[in-house]
DNA sequence: CGCCCTATCCCCATTTCTGGGGATAGGGCG
DNA sequence: CGCCCTATCCCCAGAAATGGGGATAGGGCG
């Protein structure tokens, strides 16, 4: 009775993932659930160049070694077509749908062919994007020549999403900084418009102040954060939630 | 037998959402599935200022009229605490968890209190973020005094994610060629150090280039994003996941 | 009352960023 | 081969940001 076993699989994985306190714990849980769902491989990864990236980037997988070597030699972490496709949707997709999401180049087709030659056939990828963090995904794949277990794709969607969040937790998601500086309302106004790309003169017009006053507010905000430049001030205020991406981009 | 009815609800909703060709179709499907899951209200929305935003922004909901009027009068689409919290996680969260995700200001607490007074109690929000597009979410809420149906949260996670993607499809997903800008490796290096607060001279020393080359790379990055200032360039690159908070703050 | 904070405005000099122009070299692709 | 992209370097002038100084006014608190 597949219906019943699907939810049993989910509950078991959620329990393991919730208890996981290391990447190894999570890897083991993912290896088991992949098999249970009818997949052969999994890969939970940030879409970065692992040769250049440091410690904070996550990559947990059980892909064949020769595929991984080939992938890394070409530094495909950023440009892999499946990774690129995952930036065009908010829910999971089978790899057969990739050409509907992005325009495939000849190089992309070659990458997919080489994966097939090295044992990775079709798959299902669950995107995970949190603003301010590297984009990522959790993929489940079948060996070359096998079929994706279509009935279990909703379960794979849930599992992939939950696994990525567990990885964020284990590897240290940003924590709320109780000691972060606060800004006055006026300082925050000026920081928000600066982050929108306005000059002091423009902000002065918008808020009905003199240009020097705007300069002063931004200087005082920088001093509270002890940063030398406005670019890092904007980043810090974003990180602390004093301003939000939506607020910045609003028209 | 709740286990059985949960997956029955999911399959029914997926069928309706897949067939939906208008926002009204999707709204009807969401209204039904919300009740079936044990919620009283739903709201699928882009996090924009609806007074100013245009045609591409989606908002489908069945909230009480006086709450909506209050919400819009204060233009909370971009600064609502639940919306802001959804930018700090990749999976859904109950509103009780919002203080773990963002720092609540006195204004935020007032917003949550007023929602409660107008009939909206607790809820569960599923974030949806596609790089290069406005952030959004699909929320399910219970009336003041009622409990969130915890057993159905995995189902709400699936439903919310699927509904948001259906809304994207109905309202015209972007074309294959419309992708967030990309930066060359060198441009990204310079953007990252700029976002860390370094001057061109400093970046030049760090990367072993001339100061003019650094200026050029940053100019070209601004041109790719079509933004006039470095502050907003840093914000955009963060939003799209090209650089991350951990990249910037890492030593 | 004095002190501190916030908001507002002004001045100066220097550094940094922005727009605009020029150039070379190497690699990939049609 | 020509074209485009990437990386690198240079020049100029003007706008914008940064550091540093000055000031007033109003409100809250000990």
């Amino acid at each position: 009775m597949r219906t019943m076993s699907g939810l049993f699989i989910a509950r078991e994985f959620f329990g393991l993932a919730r208890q996981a306190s290391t990447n190894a714990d999570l890897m083991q849980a993912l290896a088991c659930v992949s098999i249970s769902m009818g997949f052969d491989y999994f890969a939970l990864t940030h879409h970065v160049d692992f040769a250049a990236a440091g410690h904070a980037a996550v990559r947990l997988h059980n892909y064949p070694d020769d595929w991984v070597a080939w992938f890394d030699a070409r530094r495909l972490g950023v440009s892999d077509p499946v990774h690129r496709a995952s930036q065009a949707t908010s829910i999971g997709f089978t790899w057969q749908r990739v050409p509907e999401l992005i325009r495939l180049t000849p190089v992309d087709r070659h990458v997919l062919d080489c994966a097939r030659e090295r044992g990775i056939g079709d798959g299902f990828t669950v995107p995970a994007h949190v603003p301010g963090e590297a984009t990522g995904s959790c993929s489940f794949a079948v060996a070359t020549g096998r079929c994706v277990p279509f009935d279990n794709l909703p379960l794979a969607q849930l599992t992939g999403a939950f696994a990525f969040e567990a990885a964020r937790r284990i590897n240290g998601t940003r924590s709320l900084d109780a000691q972060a500086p606060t800004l006055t309302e006026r300082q925050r106004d000026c920081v928000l418009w600066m982050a929108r790309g306005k000059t002091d003169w423009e902000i002065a017009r918008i808020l009905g102040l003199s240009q020097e006053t705007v300069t002063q507010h931004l200087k005082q905000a920088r001093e509270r954060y002890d940063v030398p430049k406005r670019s890092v001030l904007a980043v810090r205020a974003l990180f602390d939630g004093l301003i939000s991406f939506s607020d910045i981009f609003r028209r």
Side-chain angles (χ1 to χ4, degrees), chain A:
Chain A
M1 179 66 120
R2 186 174 292 140
T3 305
M4 175 71 83
S5 66
L7 267 178
F8 177 77
I9 291 167
R11 291 201 200 286
E12 191 168 76
F13 176 75
F14 292 170
L16 290 177
R18 202 177 287 118
Q19 287 166 39
S21 55
T22 66
N23 283 336
D25 291 343
L26 184 57
M27 252 208 14
Q28 191 161 14
L30 274 167
C32 292
V33 76
S34 303
I35 303 291
S36 300
M37 292 192 294
F39 291 97
D40 300 299
Y41 307 107
F42 71 89
L44 187 159
T45 179
H46 278 125
H47 299 166
V48 297
D49 178 359
F50 274 87
H55 44 284
V58 175
R59 183 162 72 167
L60 311 178
H61 71 92
N62 63 355
Y63 279 164
D65 286 346
D66 60 340
W67 164 245
V68 177
W70 194 89
F71 190 94
D72 283 348
R74 285 150 190 77
R75 303 173 69 154
L76 289 174
V78 174
S79 59
D80 177 271
V82 172
H83 291 179
R84 292 201 338 269
S86 77
Q87 293 177 18
T89 174
S90 62
I91 61 171
F93 55 95
T94 59
W95 297 350
Q96 289 180 343
R97 289 198 55 235
V98 168
E100 297 170 31
L101 296 170
I102 61 169
R103 195 177 296 279
L104 286 181
T105 65
V107 173
D108 291 335
R109 293 182 201 281
H110 179 60
V111 170
L112 295 173
D113 287 343
C114 288
R116 228 169 344 255
E117 285 163 23
R118 286 164 177 73
I120 314 282
D122 201 0
F124 179 73
T125 291
V126 182
H129 310 311
V130 180
E133 298 178 20
T135 60
S137 59
C138 187
S139 297
F140 300 103
V142 292
T144 308
R146 291 206 340 112
C147 290
V148 163
F150 281 94
D151 284 350
N152 278 338
L153 293 191
L155 176 58
Q157 171 73 34
L158 262 190
T159 302
F162 200 78
F164 196 85
E165 192 63 25
R168 284 185 71 237
R169 170 179 57 81
I170 290 165
N171 288 279
T173 56
R174 57 196 192 197
S175 56
L176 292 189
D177 181 3
Q179 309 300 324
T182 59
L183 301 180
T184 66
E185 200 53 42
R186 253 344 194 186
Q187 288 167 355
R188 187 189 155 278
D189 287 339
C190 293
V191 169
L192 178 58
W193 284 105
M194 175 270 291
R196 285 179 177 150
K198 301 301 180 186
T199 62
D200 292 3
W201 183 84
E202 288 171 319
I203 297 168
R205 288 296 145 293
I206 290 163
L207 299 180
L209 310 173
S210 81
Q211 183 171 336
E212 287 89 0
T213 299
V214 172
T215 305
Q216 282 265 57
H217 282 311
L218 287 168
K219 183 170 193 289
Q220 281 156 9
R222 276 192 297 107
E223 284 167 356
R224 289 191 176 199
Y225 269 101
D226 189 31
V227 293
K229 307 292 281 179
R230 295 176 180 193
S231 48
V232 64
L233 174 63
V235 170
R236 292 286 294 274
L238 264 175
F239 184 75
D240 289 340
L242 296 182
I243 59 178
S244 67
F245 287 110
S246 335
D247 217 348
I248 292 165
F249 300 142
R250 133 172 123 179
R251 280 287 169 254

